[in-house]
Amino acid sequence: MYITCLDLEGVLVPEIWIAFAETTGIPELKKTTRDEPDYDKLMNYRIKILKEHGLGLKEIQDTIAKIDPLPGAKEFLDELRSCTQAIILSDTFDQFAAPLMKKLGMPTIFCNTLIVAPNGEITGYKMRCEKSKYTTVKALQSCGFETIASGDSFNDLGMIQASKAGFLFRTTDKIKADYPQYPAFTEYKELLDAIKEVISK
């Protein structure tokens, strides 16, 4: 039995931090896991900038409330879930993801948790587990599942490499060049067809 594991941001919804950077006019917040492979370094960088500007969870959630899934994402996910189990594996946080999951039809998501002070300041974060995407894929495999994985960033490569089939989706030219062994798609139909082909074998 197959389970398809998908990244969230950049694959199904816009990048939350980029949207927030555009809303606030703080270009430094546009940096994502496409740019920085070290997630701990990236998050500490973000938290520092938020503190410098006096911004907290509420301001980010206000931006997220205006974000819609990428065009065609919900339809893609609906069709995918009609032919295989699917889980979203994301390095985002449950405080960010909840409203977006409603717009996507409440798929299952495994993500992390922000540490938030009573005044709304983001002071840290708690990872669900180390190397969460890779670790989750290996755990699913230990339960007898075959996994298919797709994502767009450095932090998706572990789960892609560990899966029976892996696909890049709307990724960077650098990642495509560095990992030519993984098919790279830009349209949901291409990705869906590739997943269905794996399942049918």
Side-chain angles (χ1 to χ4, degrees):
M1 184 176 181
Y2 283 97
I3 292 184
T4 299
C5 301
L6 299 172
D7 180 35
L8 178 65
E9 294 178 64
V11 174
L12 298 171
V13 303
E15 293 280 353
I16 291 167
W17 288 98
I18 291 177
F20 188 58
E22 291 171 349
T23 298
T24 59
I26 304 171
E28 294 89 344
L29 288 174
K30 287 188 176 182
K31 187 180 285 190
T32 72
T33 50
R34 288 180 170 201
D35 312 300
E36 176 53 71
D38 186 328
Y39 191 72
D40 187 60
K41 182 177 176 183
L42 176 62
M43 274 307 300
N44 286 325
Y45 168 81
R46 288 166 167 167
I47 290 168
K48 179 173 175 284
I49 292 171
L50 293 174
K51 187 174 180 64
E52 287 172 358
H53 290 269
L55 298 168
L57 178 60
K58 182 185 182 302
E59 288 80 11
I60 301 174
Q61 287 178 328
D62 287 345
T63 294
I64 293 169
K66 300 170 188 169
I67 294 176
D68 287 321
L70 292 167
K74 185 178 184 301
E75 292 77 10
F76 159 75
L77 199 54
D78 287 345
E79 186 166 352
L80 177 66
R81 292 162 75 195
S82 75
C83 58
T84 181
Q85 298 292 315
I87 298 175
I88 297 171
L89 302 183
S90 176
D91 279 339
T92 193
F93 306 97
D94 48 17
Q95 295 98 327
F96 290 3
L100 295 169
M101 293 306 99
K102 289 180 183 176
K103 293 180 180 181
L104 284 169
M106 294 305 291
T108 299
I109 182 169
F110 294 171
C111 59
N112 306 309
T113 303
L114 288 168
I115 300 168
V116 184
N119 66 355
E121 179 186 347
I122 297 170
T123 59
Y125 65 98
K126 183 179 179 183
M127 298 294 281
R128 184 173 49 80
C129 58
E130 189 177 352
K131 296 181 181 177
S132 59
K133 298 183 182 189
Y134 170 82
T135 302
T136 302
V137 159
K138 296 304 288 185
L140 290 168
Q141 291 167 355
S142 76
C143 297
F145 294 102
E146 294 276 16
T147 59
I148 301 167
S150 182
D152 69 330
S153 297
F154 285 108
N155 64 338
D156 299 312
L157 292 171
M159 70 173 179
I160 288 172
Q161 291 165 334
S163 291
K164 181 167 184 180
F167 306 107
L168 298 168
F169 189 72
R170 297 182 182 173
T171 190
T172 65
D173 289 339
K174 175 169 175 45
I175 292 176
K176 279 193 284 191
D178 288 349
Y179 297 89
Q181 66 269 42
Y182 298 113
F185 303 121
T186 57
E187 300 300 326
Y188 289 118
K189 186 181 185 309
E190 297 173 319
L191 179 57
L192 187 65
D193 287 346
I195 293 169
K196 285 181 174 179
E197 185 176 349
V198 174
I199 294 168
S200 68
K201 289 180 180 176

